[in-house]
Amino acid sequence: QVQLVESGGGLVQAGGSLRLSCAASGSIVSINTMGWYRQAPGKQRELVAAFTRGGSPNYADSVKGRFTISRDNAKNTVYLQMNSLKPEDTAVYYCNAASVGPFTGYVYWGQGTQVTVSS
C-alpha cells in the first residue's frame, strides 16, 4: 500500500507563493507516476501538474509558467511550487501517485490540502 500526505497549503494573497509537499510511504517502489490535482468547490478534480512515466513534467495550461513540479527521490517527496497565485487557483490540492503494471493499475490519493488565494 502507498500512503500520500500533503502539506503546505494555506491562505495567501493574489500574487503570492506557496509550496506544497507530498511525502510518500509504503510500497513506493511500485509508483510509476506522481502528480498534483486540484478540486474547487462545485467543480471536477483537474490535473495541475504531473510527471509522466517518462519522467518529464506536464502542466495544465492555466498554471504553465507559474507552477513547477519537482521531486526529491531521497525523501520520497514531490513538490509543487506555486507562484503568482490567482484567486482561481483556490482549491483543495491532492497529491496523486499511480502504479501501472502489465495487467493491473493502482491509483493513490492524499487527503488533500486547502489552498486559498484572496484578491
Side-chain angles (χ1 to χ4, degrees):
Q1 190 65 259
V2 173
Q3 182 181 13
L4 305 174
V5 180
E6 303 101 331
S7 62
L11 175 64
V12 65
Q13 290 186 323
S17 299
L18 286 172
R19 190 180 78 157
L20 306 183
S21 299
C22 173
S25 62
S27 301
I28 302 170
V29 68
S30 68
I31 295 175
N32 301 128
T33 63
M34 293 190 71
W36 290 93
Y37 288 69
R38 67 186 181 188
Q39 187 167 23
K43 297 183 179 179
Q44 296 186 66
R45 189 172 298 185
E46 64 178 354
L47 172 70
V48 177
F51 289 108
T52 66
R53 295 191 68 181
S56 60
N58 60 58
Y59 299 91
D61 288 341
S62 60
V63 307
K64 285 182 178 178
R66 300 188 298 119
F67 291 10
T68 303
I69 187 171
S70 62
R71 59 188 173 190
D72 185 335
N73 290 331
K75 297 181 178 180
N76 301 127
T77 300
V78 63
Y79 304 94
L80 184 68
Q81 178 67 45
M82 305 185 295
N83 298 325
S84 301
L85 283 162
K86 304 175 181 179
E88 52 262 45
D89 295 319
T90 296
V92 177
Y93 284 70
Y94 296 91
C95 182
N96 163 270
S99 177
V100 180
F103 303 105
T104 60
Y106 300 91
V107 178
Y108 305 94
W109 295 96
Q111 294 299 307
T113 184
Q114 177 70 49
V115 172
T116 302
V117 184
S118 62
S119 60

